[in-house]
Every structure is written in structure tokens, then in C-alpha cells.
Amino acid sequence: MNTVSQETQAHLKKAQAAALPMQKKLLAALIHQTPTYQKLCNALSTSTEPLPDLWIGAGAINQSLWNLFHHWPADTFLKDIDLIYFDPDPSWEAENQYIQQIQSLTSQLPWPLDIKNVGRIHCWYHQHFGGKPLAPFENMTEAVKTWPFTASAVALQIYPHQPSEHATWIAPFGFDDLLSLRLRANQKLASAEVCEQKAERWLKQWPQLTLLKDSQLR
């Protein structure tokens, strides 16, 4: 059954043909309408304590759009929500305070949240995933630019909330691969094995995807 309106389908086609500034507005409007974004934004808006600038990224963005391309509900296959922010304080205590605060606000959501301060990823990445020690990220864009696929290397600011026409994006590779349903591996940080595992799972879930082989970025 087609669960995506003709208006949404037209919106997607328009985004595919648009230049980058218009793509940002059109895609923000689509994401703002998804249950994932709306429920998370509503939950965060109830906070009585200061929160950092929060960004929703990766799967909650690219997978939501792929679902719409496949005419499925936007939250199909969504297992969790990546919520990120930047704080130069690398202490676990500071990050954990925000994690606890955000989890208390979002405890009723149907999806678990993966909350990370990208300013302290270098403190634990090597121990968890091996490889060379990671230099600290100096900003959000540096972190997003290392994500495993160009199509999923996108983040949208969710808190403080802005209307979709004024939404702020981080998309270091643009949106063309995302909107063309292309999987282009990015091995700036993720290994070839990690990329292959993700691609194998995604191709089964979203059959319209196309994997570009031997296209790893350096």
C-alpha cells in the first residue's frame, strides 16, 4: 500500500532537482513532518534546564527519506536516534549529565537515543574500535565528515527548534547521494568491513539503493 502522499512524492522529486540551498529547505520540511522529529522535538521542548545545541543525524535522516522514497512510513526500520552535540569539555561527567537529562525528557519515545558529545569521541574511540588514536574534533562538521557513508553524513539541528525554512544542516558531502539513493563508502574513520556490513543490511531493507563499489573517499 502506498503510504506516502502525492504531495510528499512531489516534494522528493523537487528536492532531487533543486540546488543545495533549496534542497536544505525542502528536506528540512520533510524531516520536520516525520513522527521521529516531531515526537523528539516536543519532548526536548519540555526541558526546564538548559540543553546544548542538539542535532539529529544519520539514520533518523537518511533512513526516513529512503522510507519515503519507498512509499513506506518514515520510521520503518528505525532502531534508534542519533542525537549529537559539541562540548569542548571532554569529561564523562559533563556528557553523562546531559545524557541523563535528555533521557529523562525522552523516556516515553518508542525509540532509544544514542546521545554523544562529539567533543569527547577521541577519549574512547580507540579503545572501542581500535586503529590509531583519534585527534579531538574541533567542531560538529569535522565529526559528521567521518561518518561511514556520504548519504548518511548529514545532521539537522533539532534544539533549539527552528522553522524548516530556517533550519540548519551539516552536510559536508551535500545531499545528492542521499537523494539518488547511492551508497558511497567513506573510510575516513570507518573500516571497509563496517561499511560492507552496513551496506549489506541496508540493501536488503531498501531495495532501491545502489552500492557504488571502489568509491571509498580518502
Side-chain angles (χ1 to χ4, degrees), residues 105-125:
L105 296 170
T106 60
S107 60
Q108 300 303 311
L109 295 185
W111 315 280
L113 269 63
D114 187 2
I115 305 162
K116 287 187 175 65
N117 171 22
V118 302
R120 70 175 303 271
I121 289 177
H122 66 283
C123 296
W124 53 262
Y125 190 90

Side-chain angles (χ1 to χ4, degrees), residues 163-202:
S164 61
E165 60 269 23
H166 300 300
T168 302
W169 283 97
I170 297 173
F173 305 109
F175 300 98
D176 288 347
D177 283 345
L178 171 56
L179 289 169
S180 297
L181 287 82
R182 291 192 296 253
L183 294 180
R184 190 188 307 270
N186 175 21
Q187 291 187 35
K188 288 185 179 295
L189 191 57
S191 67
E193 182 180 6
V194 168
C195 292
E196 289 170 1
Q197 290 173 349
K198 283 183 175 291
E200 182 179 2
R201 183 175 75 252
W202 288 351

Side-chain angles (χ1 to χ4, degrees), residues 2-218:
N2 187 343
T3 62
V4 177
S5 69
Q6 292 183 350
E7 181 181 1
T8 296
Q9 294 176 40
H11 215 80
L12 288 167
K13 291 181 179 179
K14 186 175 181 181
Q16 286 177 315
L20 182 59
M22 181 56 67
Q23 283 181 335
K24 291 181 177 181
K25 293 181 180 180
L26 293 169
L27 294 181
L30 285 170
I31 295 299
H32 279 212
Q33 294 170 12
T34 63
T36 307
Y37 184 95
Q38 291 183 352
K39 291 178 180 180
L40 179 56
C41 187
N42 289 340
L44 295 173
S45 68
T46 64
S47 179
T48 58
E49 300 292 332
L51 290 172
D53 289 347
L54 294 170
W55 300 70
I56 185 172
I61 304 294
N62 64 285
Q63 293 179 22
S64 294
L65 293 172
W66 290 342
N67 284 325
L68 296 180
F69 274 112
H70 283 74
H71 300 174
W72 301 335
D75 57 353
T76 303
F77 297 126
L78 185 65
K79 298 197 301 186
D80 58 17
I81 298 174
D82 292 304
L83 200 61
I84 57 176
Y85 67 96
F86 180 82
D87 184 349
D89 182 348
S91 69
W92 163 245
E93 291 75 17
E95 183 179 40
N96 189 49
Q97 181 177 349
Y98 280 132
I99 290 175
Q100 297 298 320
Q101 182 181 353
I102 294 167
Q103 286 181 338
S104 68
L105 296 170
T106 60
S107 60
Q108 300 303 311
L109 295 185
W111 315 280
L113 269 63
D114 187 2
I115 305 162
K116 287 187 175 65
N117 171 22
V118 302
R120 70 175 303 271
I121 289 177
H122 66 283
C123 296
W124 53 262
Y125 190 90
H126 174 67
Q127 287 78 9
H128 280 262
F129 299 106
K132 297 179 180 179
L134 187 65
F137 293 124
E138 296 185 1
N139 53 57
M140 295 284 291
T141 301
E142 283 189 1
V144 174
K145 199 172 183 178
T146 68
W147 291 358
F149 287 90
T150 57
S152 60
V154 292
L156 177 65
Q157 188 173 27
I158 189 170
Y159 184 90
H161 175 72
Q162 297 291 331
S164 61
E165 60 269 23
H166 300 300
T168 302
W169 283 97
I170 297 173
F173 305 109
F175 300 98
D176 288 347
D177 283 345
L178 171 56
L179 289 169
S180 297
L181 287 82
R182 291 192 296 253
L183 294 180
R184 190 188 307 270
N186 175 21
Q187 291 187 35
K188 288 185 179 295
L189 191 57
S191 67
E193 182 180 6
V194 168
C195 292
E196 289 170 1
Q197 290 173 349
K198 283 183 175 291
E200 182 179 2
R201 183 175 75 252
W202 288 351
L203 287 165
K204 291 178 181 178
Q205 293 174 326
W206 294 281
Q208 293 183 35
L209 293 176
T210 299
L211 175 62
L212 302 183
K213 295 184 178 180
D214 300 324
S215 61
Q216 290 83 5
L217 303 180
R218 301 295 179 184

